[in-house]
Amino acid sequence: MSITLREITADNYYEVCLLTTNKSGVPTLDEEFLCSNSVSIAESKYYPLLNPQAIYSDQTLIGFVMSGPYFRDNGNFWVLRYMIDHQYQGNGFGKKGFTAFIEQVKRNGNIERIYIGLDPDNKRAISLYTSVGFEFTGERKDGEDVYILKLIKNAS
């Protein structure tokens, strides 16, 4: 199984919008812990530094991530949305997809820290992010607990 992150395009945006964490399989505007992918894609059009991406396992669309400088936090690099579709949860895709995302961020350059805001009730997400190295900062922003991952720069 190969995990890749791909651009949202005219060919895949609709399928990305249909992904959901809702167990019913029906996407809604606001899901339990995040807004829909369609809202995130629209948001990226108003904040063009945000980067929405589709997550694939081989050729199967399984998830979505949106990241970039957050205008409400001095341009610090944030993961604003991350999700794996309900039918692929519990199979290790969350960690594999997020690990692929971290590797992409490292390859792309000068980002030293990744921030993410988590609902304190979202125990599965907290477990995922802490398992890849995020640490709670003790801060709250926009009603969520702030976690940080400090990226280690390779010595040249």
Side-chain angles (χ1 to χ4, degrees):
M1 147 182 58
S2 173
I3 301 292
T4 56
L5 285 81
R6 302 182 192 169
E7 180 181 5
I8 305 291
T9 67
D11 293 327
N12 68 2
Y13 82 91
Y14 188 72
E15 288 78 17
V16 171
C17 290
L18 292 178
L19 296 174
T20 182
T21 58
N22 292 333
K23 296 199 185 324
S24 68
V26 177
T28 54
L29 196 58
D30 283 310
E31 300 190 1
E32 185 175 11
F33 293 112
L34 71 161
C35 67
S36 71
N37 296 341
S38 57
V39 169
S40 296
I41 292 168
E43 184 178 12
S44 74
K45 301 308 175 193
Y46 294 101
Y47 300 98
L49 295 178
L50 298 180
N51 184 26
Q53 295 177 288
I55 304 168
Y56 285 82
S57 173
D58 297 322
Q59 296 305 311
T60 303
L61 176 63
I62 63 166
F64 174 81
V65 61
M66 186 168 76
S67 62
Y70 189 38
F71 73 97
R72 291 185 183 171
D73 189 41
N74 301 316
N76 286 323
F77 189 86
W78 282 72
V79 174
L80 298 169
R81 309 289 184 308
Y82 182 77
M83 62 85 70
I84 298 295
D85 186 77
H86 73 100
Q87 60 188 328
Y88 301 106
Q89 291 182 6
N91 297 308
F93 288 118
K95 188 169 186 174
K96 289 175 184 161
F98 204 79
T99 300
F101 168 76
I102 292 169
E103 291 306 313
Q104 177 190 63
V105 170
K106 286 179 179 179
R107 279 192 310 275
N108 286 343
N110 60 358
I111 296 165
E112 296 180 13
R113 292 183 274 310
I114 302 173
Y115 293 87
I116 193 164
L118 300 173
D119 184 309
D121 293 331
N122 192 347
K123 303 300 182 200
R124 288 180 72 187
I126 293 168
S127 176
L128 167 66
Y129 299 117
T130 56
S131 77
V132 297
F134 276 83
E135 296 177 352
F136 180 48
T137 64
E139 298 176 48
R140 284 199 87 143
K141 183 175 226 35
D142 299 332
E144 295 181 322
D145 290 343
V146 176
Y147 286 74
I148 188 172
L149 176 65
K150 296 176 184 174
L151 301 177
I152 300 170
K153 293 218 172 209
N154 294 332
S156 302

